[in-house]
Amino acid sequence: MNYDLILRSRRTLLPGGEQPADVGVRDGVIAAVAGHQALTGHDVIDLGECALLPGLVDTHVHVNEPGRTEWEGFDTATRAAAAGGVTTIVDMPLNSIPPTVDPHALWVKRAAAAEQCYVDVGFWGGAVPGNLKSLPALHEQGVFGFKAFLIDSGVPEFPPLDPAGLADALAAVDALFVVHAEDPALVGEAHGTRFADFVASRPARAEASAVAAAIEAARHTGARVHILHLAAADALPLLAAARREGVRVTAETCPHYLVLDAADVPDGATQYKCCPPIRDRSHQDALWEALADGLIDCVVSDHSPCPPELKRGDFGSAWGGIASVQLGLPLVWTAARRRGHSLADVVRWMAANTAGLVGLGRKGRIAEGADADLVAFDADAEFTVDAATLLHRHHVSPYHGRKLRGVVRDTWLRGRLAGAEPIGRLLERGRP
């Protein structure tokens, strides 16, 4: 059999675990997975001890184009993704203008993304007050599901739902709903430069209360609900009980909650601001335990950049978001390794499970018939983050100066090197 490309590694991350293997690519698809040095061809890349991973699938990325392209854009966001070993992103329906809350807005978003994406891109729709009738049409047009906020989103054109409104949206269309779960009744005003005051203004019980409301809506409607960017250990027993009951609820967390500790955040360092906030080590330890147990399914970036001037001021006025789509893999691997987790665990959380969340059966795994989205990852190499070299639009990062383990050497999208030209495709739910 002829192959366009053969990738060989002694550390190939297959669905069954890590092992030496050859991966043969033909016409953008993995045509063969065989024993080490079993395949022959003209174009063979021997990675040696450098690990071969499936391309990561990041289902929580804010690209912000059109409308706020000065914050980020498809060109810069997808270049950064490719550099970080991410071969598929799913773009959130905000903070672009218009937000993706009706079929016309989806058309505008796709037109903006066309021919400038360096990785594959799918889209979430939005569920907001007043757009119930648009949800079925948006779903039919190929969005992977719908995002809803239970608290102010930070932008006026994407208002939140209350719990009754969320239940109505769940009943309006048979789709996956992803929910930002914080209870506004338990969230206070944040002012000043003390990080501890900001964390106290968005307490863990606000997450737990909103997660309970989302679970109740899922229980009542039978719908499928996914809890976004979980930071609070208080919500974990609620998720566990709901799953035992058969409620269709899953959850994700993010690198910043797994790596950063509130006790280490300097006062005034608004580059660390995100919502929910970074919490203390006890919450972080519980999140890692939930990942190990399978209670938390996915790790995603929640890449949410903005211009540097919007990060200035205090913790009340600064924009809440951390840009990390390029750094997620080494961030999580560095911390996971220290806690005794394997590279296979990281691949499951950041590739296989995220692909499964949105039904991308040809993504997130190295197997015959899957897209040849692959990553050469030097898991033992170390580097120090220099924010000025990151490829997202603005070089603001809480990770500047942090030493990490794991370097992405190359990324392939359907068998072609990613990052040199915009070869990404726009994806639709239910279509290969």
Side-chain angles (χ1 to χ4, degrees), residues 9 102 154 162 172 212 214 257 261 282-283 288 371 387 394 415 425:
S9 172
D102 57 52
D162 60 19
Y257 302 127
D261 184 339
S282 66
H283 291 278
W288 278 106
D371 286 349
H394 300 289
R425 298 177 181 172

Side-chain angles (χ1 to χ4, degrees), residues 4 49 82 126 128 214 240 279 301 347 351:
D4 303 322
E49 296 295 328
V128 296
R279 303 195 186 279
S301 69
V347 167

Side-chain angles (χ1 to χ4, degrees), residues 39-129:
L39 301 181
T40 58
H42 297 293
D43 193 354
V44 180
I45 299 176
D46 192 335
L47 301 175
E49 296 295 328
C50 186
L52 182 63
L53 279 55
L56 304 189
V57 178
D58 191 340
T59 54
H60 195 150
V61 176
H62 294 268
V63 176
N64 306 334
E65 184 177 6
R68 289 191 176 93
T69 310
E70 72 275 13
W71 292 23
E72 185 62 293
F74 286 102
D75 178 277
T76 48
T78 59
R79 283 179 191 260
V86 176
T87 52
T88 302
I89 66 170
V90 187
D91 174 53
M92 284 293 169
L94 74 164
N95 304 301
S96 56
I97 301 173
T100 315
V101 296
D102 57 52
H104 175 72
L106 177 62
W107 180 88
V108 171
K109 178 72 73 82
R110 285 181 171 149
E115 299 184 1
Q116 62 164 329
C117 296
Y118 289 77
V119 301
D120 287 354
V121 177
F123 302 96
W124 294 105
V128 296

